[in-house]
Amino acid sequence: MRVFVLVAVFLLTINILHAQDSIHSQKSLSIHQGLTYLVTKDLYRSPYVYHGFNPSIAMSFGINRKKSIQQIHCEYTFGSIRTSFSPLAPIHLFRMNYFYLRKVVNNDRYSFYAGFQLNGQSWTVNYFPEMQAPKYGQVRSYLWAFSLDAAAHFEYKINSRSRLKLAVSAPVCALVNRPHFLDGSSDNSQFGLFNYWNPRIHLAYEYDVSNRISLFINYNYEYLQYAQPKTIRMLNNNLFIGIKLKF
């Protein structure tokens, strides 16, 4: 219930600010393709570190206004992770976020925005995909989480066609769920303030080919840690190239 109240208050605030800033908007659609290096230590399974390079695809829809920016971003990573002695463990990582940021500082060279982000992600892995066992007996692990994050965005204009962008975010509160565990403990859902450590850093270079088309390359860093009831740590480094269409 507390989650829904927080979301409702957040969306109401956005609607009020949106009504004050509804003129001079530019919309954009971005398509990303890249490679993710994933490192994870999941104590649901073992103390060993699993890792692997995997393909990623993403899509973003943004609205830029005179005093604000907002964006919806969806991203999917698929492939496998392993140790030096284990079989390949198939993984699926999906995340979706929405942010709304207000302009704080702006001049001819740079601008700074601050605000909030709603973030959701789901991660699943099958550690022994060839095991002949019923579904309930398979060694599968997952984490899904919904969080309300504090977020900031900095943009530096190099010249009339190119710019650098830096975005950072980290959870303020989160609802997190982990599965039934091998030791017999039940699945666990937990909501709390600062109960979920998941900072994200986004660095991008963007070049305008024309008034309607831009090309970009971006690097994303993400670290995830959740301690209860079994610790999971995850490190993501990914590199994307893409195209942005403005209209």
Side-chain angles (χ1 to χ4, degrees):
M1 182 65 183
R2 288 174 294 179
V3 178
F4 295 112
V5 171
L6 285 172
V7 172
V9 172
F10 178 70
L11 294 177
L12 178 61
T13 303
I14 289 175
N15 286 333
I16 294 173
L17 294 173
H18 173 79
Q20 300 172 355
D21 187 31
S22 59
I23 305 174
H24 307 302
S25 65
Q26 182 183 70
K27 300 179 179 64
S28 64
L29 178 66
S30 303
I31 300 171
H32 318 234
Q33 185 171 2
L35 191 65
T36 296
Y37 181 61
L38 176 65
V39 181
T40 182
K41 185 175 183 179
D42 182 5
L43 292 188
Y44 168 86
R45 169 67 184 97
S46 74
Y48 297 108
V49 175
Y50 283 71
H51 58 89
F53 282 97
N54 297 286
S56 297
I57 54 175
M59 181 176 292
S60 304
F61 175 76
I63 302 177
N64 283 35
R65 293 190 170 89
K66 185 177 180 180
K67 296 182 180 180
S68 67
I69 56 176
Q70 54 185 318
Q71 179 181 279
I72 297 174
H73 176 81
C74 298
E75 184 180 320
Y76 176 54
T77 300
F78 55 96
S80 60
I81 53 176
R82 64 172 300 169
T83 65
S84 59
F85 54 86
S86 69
L88 293 176
I91 60 104
H92 299 276
L93 174 61
F94 176 79
R95 62 168 54 86
M96 182 174 182
N97 60 58
Y98 165 81
F99 68 71
Y100 181 88
L101 307 176
R102 297 287 291 181
K103 185 176 291 185
V104 178
V105 178
N106 180 59
N107 61 33
D108 294 337
R109 276 295 186 181
Y110 63 88
S111 56
F112 176 75
Y113 298 79
F116 298 93
Q117 176 173 289
L118 293 174
N119 186 67
Q121 65 176 303
S122 170
W123 175 81
T124 62
V125 59
N126 185 356
Y127 287 108
F128 292 99
E130 297 180 359
M131 178 184 289
Q132 299 299 316
K135 187 174 181 180
Y136 65 85
Q138 294 178 356
V139 186
R140 295 174 180 266
S141 182
Y142 67 80
L143 175 143
W144 60 256
F146 296 94
S147 63
L148 174 62
D149 303 358
H153 176 98
F154 176 81
E155 184 173 318
Y156 176 75
K157 188 176 182 181
I158 300 173
N159 54 46
S160 60
R161 285 184 175 269
S162 59
R163 64 199 65 86
L164 288 173
K165 297 181 179 181
L166 173 66
V168 296
S169 64
V172 175
C173 59
L175 173 65
V176 187
N177 184 266
R178 291 282 276 147
H180 295 276
F181 292 107
L182 296 178
D183 61 7
S185 58
S186 62
D187 65 333
N188 175 266
S189 294
Q190 184 185 82
F191 174 79
L193 290 172
F194 307 109
N195 62 323
Y196 174 60
W197 181 238
N198 187 209
R200 290 175 293 275
I201 301 173
H202 169 88
L203 180 63
Y205 171 77
E206 188 173 309
Y207 179 79
D208 295 333
V209 178
S210 68
N211 290 334
R212 297 294 181 183
I213 300 175
S214 297
L215 301 177
F216 61 84
I217 180 170
N218 61 50
Y219 163 76
N220 301 297
Y221 168 90
E222 177 183 10
Y223 180 74
L224 181 153
Q225 179 173 327
Y226 180 64
Q228 298 294 334
K230 295 288 188 179
T231 299
I232 180 172
R233 297 185 181 95
M234 189 184 303
L235 176 65
N236 285 353
N237 286 277
N238 57 38
L239 188 67
F240 281 103
I241 58 173
I243 183 170
K244 177 188 284 187
L245 307 176
K246 293 173 279 190
F247 49 93

